[in-house]
C-alpha cells in the first residue's frame, strides 16, 4: 500500500485528493474503508492502493486511489 496525506476534500461532491510522492491522486468516497468519508480531514495520513485506467465512465485521467484507509 502507498501512503500519502489528504490534500483536499470536496465533501459536497464526495471526492478528494491525496498528496503522494509521485503527485496528487484522486479518490472517491466509495474507496474509503475502515472510516467514514466525512471523518477524513485535510492533512490526515492515509494508506491506499493505486488503480489505473478507465472505469468506463470517463477518459483515463491518471491514477486514482482505491481502498483508502486512515493511518
Amino acid at each position: 500500500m502507498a501512503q500519502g496525506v489528504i490534500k483536499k476534500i470536496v465533501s459536497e461532491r464526495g471526492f478528494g485528493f491525496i498528496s503522494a510522492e509521485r503527485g496528487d491522486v484522486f479518490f472517491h468516497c466509495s474507496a474509503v474503508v475502515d472510516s467514514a468519508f466525512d471523518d477524513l480531514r485535510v492533512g490526515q495520513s492515509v494508506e491506499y492502493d493505486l488503480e489505473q485506467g478507465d472505469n468506463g465512465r470517463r477518459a483515463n485521467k491518471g491514477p486514482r486511489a482505491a481502498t483508502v484507509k486512515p493511518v
Side-chain angles (χ1 to χ4, degrees):
M1 288 194 113
Q3 292 191 349
V5 175
I6 295 179
K7 179 178 181 176
K8 181 177 183 177
I9 295 177
V10 184
S11 56
E12 62 276 0
R13 304 245 355 243
F15 69 87
F17 293 92
I18 298 169
S19 180
E21 199 172 290
R22 294 185 182 178
D24 293 346
V25 178
F26 171 87
F27 73 96
H28 187 264
C29 61
S30 63
V32 179
V33 296
D34 295 343
S35 180
F37 176 75
D38 293 334
D39 292 337
L40 297 177
R41 301 286 174 247
V42 172
Q44 184 173 13
S45 295
V46 291
E47 289 183 335
Y48 60 93
D49 292 320
L50 269 181
E51 186 176 82
Q52 292 283 351
D54 189 340
N55 68 2
R57 294 179 41 203
R58 62 181 175 84
N60 184 3
K61 295 183 179 179
R64 66 182 193 169
T67 319
V68 178
K69 298 179 185 181
V71 178

